[in-house]
Amino acid sequence: MVGESGRYRELMVWQRSMEVVREVYRVSADWPKEEMYGLTNQLRRAAVSIPANIAEGQGRTGKREFAHHLSIANGSLHETETLLLIARDLRFIDETTCDTLTSRTAEIGRLLGGLIRKLRPTEA
């Protein structure tokens, strides 16, 4: 699982996070141009960070490093959720779109949590 080239693409959590990235780019495409270097950019970067850290961690040599990068991905996931809520509050996205995306991020959070638990050493 750890360090095997390209194996991250087989992880459901990576696949789901890539779907969220595509959706974030789609929904933010029509946001106000003055937000291009503000909320739009920050949301896109946070969303991209999720699958990027999953891939980077899987490419590392040990479980501890993988778990560390999954933790970073989880932080980016929470940032993404918060930015989506801000976008909703600013009326850049509607309630339904926000709910759909945050439902997907919740699923990713569950998948990340399970993978992190799996990588932790078992306690005797």
Side-chain angles (χ1 to χ4, degrees):
M1 176 184 358
V2 178
E4 297 176 36
S5 179
R7 294 292 306 268
Y8 63 88
R9 291 180 296 223
E10 297 173 13
L11 296 172
M12 181 68 66
V13 67
W14 182 85
Q15 294 169 9
R16 293 290 191 258
S17 61
M18 289 292 288
E19 291 169 4
V20 166
V21 169
R22 289 188 292 272
E23 189 65 12
V24 159
Y25 269 78
R26 187 188 68 73
V27 302
S28 64
D30 295 328
W31 288 5
K33 295 304 172 204
E34 62 268 15
E35 286 299 326
M36 181 53 73
Y37 300 105
L39 187 61
T40 305
N41 184 49
Q42 191 171 354
L43 174 60
R44 288 175 174 184
R45 289 172 61 92
V48 165
S49 179
I50 303 165
N53 273 289
I54 294 167
E56 182 177 354
Q58 192 279 327
R60 299 292 177 141
T61 57
K63 289 182 179 182
R64 177 184 239 164
E65 289 180 278
F66 190 14
H68 173 73
H69 279 83
L70 292 176
S71 177
I72 294 169
N74 197 50
S76 295
L77 177 71
H78 285 84
E79 180 181 4
T80 299
E81 290 174 343
T82 299
L83 295 167
L84 287 167
L85 294 171
I86 291 168
R88 180 204 60 202
D89 291 351
L90 294 174
R91 300 191 193 323
F92 292 170
I93 56 174
D94 60 42
E95 191 79 34
T96 302
T97 302
C98 185
D99 289 348
T100 299
L101 281 166
T102 55
S103 172
R104 290 181 183 171
T105 59
E107 177 192 11
I108 293 166
R110 289 188 296 275
L111 291 168
L112 279 172
L115 193 49
I116 290 168
R117 281 189 299 280
K118 184 177 178 181
L119 292 169
R120 284 189 188 141
T122 56
E123 297 178 21

